[in-house]
Amino acid sequence: MYALTLTAELEGVTNLRPKDTQDSQFFYTFKVQCTSCRETHPKPVTVNRFENNEMSGSRGEANFVWKCKNCKRESSASINAAPTPYEHCEPPKAQKILFFDCRGLEFTEFIPEGEFLVDGLESNTKFDAVELTEGEWFDYDEKAGEEVSIKDLKWEVVRA
């Protein structure tokens, strides 16, 4: 079992999370490595928690099924539940956002591509279409009358 952790400096916002519902599905982007031959796949891969793929040999289904081009072994990964929102805290600390089970592969790096959501800390203003690919996000909360931001993002894949 693995977890995706996030450490970030949230200013004036809380509940940072991927926009990941049945109607608006999030594709989690990772760099992947085979645990058998240690080969790292050259391109990032995406995993959708609502998508199930057949594993060969009638071994069931997984959100992500992958065959290593180097050693030809089939591996799989599944996301166990909806993501947990990252809560505002001072000082910023690592929080587990997503849990997944990997068999024969490891996700070595998370790439935050896709749409995230966040809420105003005091005002509860809903911010959507939050992009984190640049490593930071800035906006203005009209209700609170102040600038809000997400900075110093550090994503890590750890054993849960």
Side-chain angles (χ1 to χ4, degrees):
M1 178 81 85
Y2 290 88
L4 174 65
T5 66
L6 170 62
T7 307
E9 187 179 317
L10 305 184
E11 193 65 48
V13 291
T14 191
N15 295 333
L16 173 62
R17 66 221 178 262
K19 185 176 183 179
D20 191 12
T21 64
Q22 185 71 46
D23 296 331
S24 182
Q25 299 175 7
F26 191 89
F27 286 85
Y28 298 89
T29 306
F30 292 97
K31 286 191 177 175
V32 65
Q33 181 181 60
C34 176
T35 56
S36 186
C37 68
R38 307 311 289 172
E39 182 77 16
T40 300
H41 189 60
K43 294 181 181 167
V45 299
T46 59
V47 182
N48 175 331
R49 71 185 179 99
F50 295 101
E51 213 173 80
N52 281 317
N53 300 289
E54 288 286 325
M55 295 189 295
S56 65
S58 300
R59 294 184 306 147
E61 294 181 330
N63 296 134
F64 176 70
V65 178
W66 176 68
K67 190 170 191 170
C68 177
K69 294 210 186 318
N70 190 44
C71 71
K72 310 294 185 232
R73 293 193 77 176
E74 186 177 86
S75 305
S76 64
S78 287
I79 296 171
N80 296 356
T84 305
Y86 183 87
E87 304 288 337
H88 176 274
C89 60
E90 287 291 332
K93 67 175 193 244
Q95 297 176 35
K96 292 176 179 164
I97 303 298
L98 192 69
F99 293 91
F100 42 90
D101 192 22
C102 294
R103 309 237 177 228
L105 64 86
E106 265 180 43
F107 292 134
T108 57
E109 181 184 336
F110 175 69
I111 302 162
E113 294 177 343
E115 199 171 307
F116 288 80
L117 306 170
V118 72
D119 304 327
L121 189 59
E122 301 295 327
S123 67
N124 209 26
T125 300
K126 306 291 181 209
F127 295 93
D128 57 9
V130 174
E131 294 286 331
L132 299 175
T133 51
E134 299 295 318
E136 58 187 16
W137 170 83
F138 297 90
D139 206 330
Y140 189 77
D141 187 338
E142 297 286 339
K143 285 185 193 169
E146 63 185 20
E147 186 179 276
V148 292
S149 65
I150 302 169
K151 301 183 288 197
D152 301 327
L153 288 114
K154 182 182 176 200
W155 301 95
E156 237 181 324
V157 178
V158 299
R159 289 195 183 276

